[in-house]
Amino acid sequence: MTVALGMPTLPAPVLSERRKTRQLQVGPVGVGSEHPISVQSMTTTLTSDVNATLQQIAELTAAGCDIVRVACPSADDAEALPAIARKSQIPVIADIHFQPKYVFAAIEAGCAAVRVNPGNIRKFDDQVKEIAKAAKDHGTPIRIGVNAGSLDKRIMDKYGKATPEALAESALWEASLFAEHDFYDVKISVKHNDPVVMVRAYEILAEQCDYPLHLGVTEAGPAFQGTIKSAVAFGALLRQGIGDTIRVSLSAPPVEEVKVGIQILQSLNLKERKLEIVSCPSCGRAQVDVYTLAEQVTAGLEGMEVPLRVAVMGCVVNGPGEAREADLGVASGNGKGQIFVKGEVIKTVPEHAIVETLIEEAMRIAEESGQTIGEGEPTVTVG
Ligand code: SF4
């Protein structure tokens, strides 16, 4: 098989320009068309357990998460917010359902933003004036987070179910209430578990407002299904320049959500690519176990902060030729691996030394580039 290799030249080409939006700040992270698309996740710890929550936030931060959201269903959780907001290395958004008093508590706590679900906060519309005032006083943006599973009763009565039009109308209605009080520091999400409904809902929003949009397929499912649903839906929207911050929802540890979100953005050149493994699918010509080799190389180079494309090819027939533009690669065969750098074969090593040699060469390239290697320094894992 033939694949095009090599990191895209900078600035990397993108499929479309970003849709122009208002800009807002979630702490130090800008959200809107003038800023890179940020990756979010949400903690799964009890927010009231400050240490456990901060530990998970630290793991998310290390994984590349830009913004983290924490649930706030009880008074104990609300009490924990100031410490979490103060100690977290990335901006913290409080996620508020049902209890309007926690919206104010989160704003007072110094959270970088507050997510409200207007569909299930009691008498939300009556409190918009006070919420807008408190948020404005503290410079706190609000995410209007409409969710198919908890759509406003009035909208449900009108549409009968969570259609794209219903989701968009609910969000735009709430945004209009904030606008009545001269509050525009708003971003919007309209999540549904069906990518088709979700994509259409965001398209309607994009046509009708210029608020930044937070993309998400809600309840997307376990890692395999959720990854595909999110990638397909986000891809369809990002292709149109729609989307300013993303959250992949998986029934999996939140670090996995961050990895998937980053990979989606990197795949579309919307985020700088770091380590990228280009491995062949193997075929009847392969003389090594390509799957295992690719996994070992991936694990061995985990933590590389330097943009690096590594080709792992199963045979010498296509390997060097296909890898001409890769930074580093191996073409295997007959119990040996041809190691190449920028398409030139620099040495041939026994199969058991392939991973170790690739890591050495990767470190050398990283040093020569003058860039640092990430905290998770590469380790050699040879099976
Ligand atoms: S084994 Fe060789 S020919 Fe087969 S897919 Fe891999 S690189 Fe291509």
Side-chain angles (χ1 to χ4, degrees), residues 1 280-283 285-286 313-315 318-319 322:
M1 64 174 297
C280 82
S282 186
C283 73
R285 294 191 192 94
M313 296 296 174
C315 75
N318 292 324
E322 288 176 348

